[in-house]
Amino acid sequence: MTEETPGFDEQQPQSAQPQQPDVPSGSEDAEPKAAPQEGAAPAGAAAATAQVAGLTAQLDQVRTALGERTADLQRLQAEYQNYRRRVERDRITVKEIAIANLLTELLPVLDDIGRAREHGELVGGFKSVAESLETVAAKMGLMQFGKEGEPFDPTIHEALMHSYAPDVTETTCVAILQPGYRIGERTIRPARVAVAEPQPGAQTAKAEEAEGASGADDKESGGPDEG
């Protein structure tokens, strides 16, 4: 006969029932999660605003730098254009100086050719060579000036001889001893001339003669007092 253990039937139902852990309800779990989501919206907007402000500041810096570089480029371009013009002007000046120096060395040869032409010695092969040389000098821009009878100009004439003449009314070139030469507006040698000035007292005598002639005409016509 088996002995029954007292209290076994009373404890068995308690041990047979499984114990469940305490799990918070769904309503209690939703409330703490909703609070952080409501506070995250202003923080995100502030961060976006700060980011936009930072990008705007960077854009302003880039625009400022671009304006400075553009100004530098424009200044360099203007300096380069000025440099090119200056180089071109210097090149032309150097070329003109070189041509002038060359033609200046040829002036004695041209003077000899002119004298030979005046004396009728410019004939044969020498004439052909002389004319070719004069043609080349003219192509290089050499121009001859100086004629008898033109008024004396100290800027382009050099007076080597001086005299007086009753038939001139101003200082006049009466003989061309050596012609002058120029290249464009630049005179490389003045014309060497003999000049004549009006005879001293000639103008006074002519004025007195003119006054006397007008007085005689008045007398012949009865004078201005008649009538």
Side-chain angles (χ1 to χ4, degrees):
M1 185 172 180
T2 303
E3 294 181 359
E4 295 179 359
T5 303
F8 179 78
D9 296 334
E10 296 177 358
Q11 294 178 356
Q12 183 66 27
Q14 293 180 357
S15 60
Q17 294 178 356
Q19 296 181 356
Q20 296 180 357
D22 296 336
V23 179
S25 63
S27 60
E28 293 178 355
D29 196 13
E31 292 179 359
K33 290 183 178 180
Q37 291 180 358
E38 292 177 357
T49 303
Q51 186 178 5
V52 171
L55 293 176
T56 303
Q58 292 180 1
L59 180 60
D60 293 339
Q61 293 178 357
V62 171
R63 287 176 176 173
T64 303
L66 179 61
E68 293 176 355
R69 299 300 178 269
T70 303
D72 293 340
L73 179 61
Q74 291 175 350
R75 182 171 61 256
L76 289 175
Q77 186 177 7
E79 292 177 357
Y80 177 68
Q81 294 296 333
N82 293 333
Y83 169 76
R84 287 187 58 186
R85 285 192 290 266
R86 185 168 60 254
V87 169
E88 182 66 17
R89 184 170 60 250
D90 293 343
R91 185 186 67 81
I92 294 174
T93 302
V94 170
K95 180 181 178 181
E96 291 177 351
I97 292 174
I99 293 175
N101 292 336
L102 174 62
L103 294 177
T104 301
E105 297 296 328
L106 292 177
L107 294 185
V109 179
L110 297 177
D111 293 336
D112 292 339
I113 292 174
R115 283 190 290 268
R117 182 179 285 111
E118 291 177 357
H119 293 84
E121 299 176 356
L122 197 63
V123 294
F126 177 58
K127 178 181 179 181
S128 179
V129 173
E131 291 178 349
S132 298
L133 180 60
E134 291 175 338
T135 301
V136 171
K139 287 182 179 180
M140 297 177 69
L142 185 67
M143 294 182 292
Q144 181 179 332
F145 66 90
K147 296 181 180 180
E148 296 182 2
E150 63 184 8
F152 175 75
D153 185 354
T155 61
I156 60 174
H157 297 139
E158 180 181 355
L160 300 182
M161 299 178 63
H162 177 271
S163 62
Y164 294 96
D167 57 343
V168 296
T169 58
E170 59 181 346
T171 304
T172 306
C173 300
V174 294
I176 306 299
L177 306 179
Q178 277 186 335
Y181 290 96
R182 67 164 61 98
I183 300 176
E185 299 297 328
R186 180 182 179 184
T187 300
I188 62 175
R189 190 182 77 180
R192 294 165 180 171
V193 298
V195 299
E197 293 183 343
Q199 191 72 29
Q203 296 294 331
T204 304
K206 289 183 178 180
E208 291 177 354
E209 291 177 0
E211 290 179 359
S214 62
D217 293 338
D218 291 339
K219 289 181 180 180
E220 291 178 359
S221 62
D225 294 333
E226 288 186 0

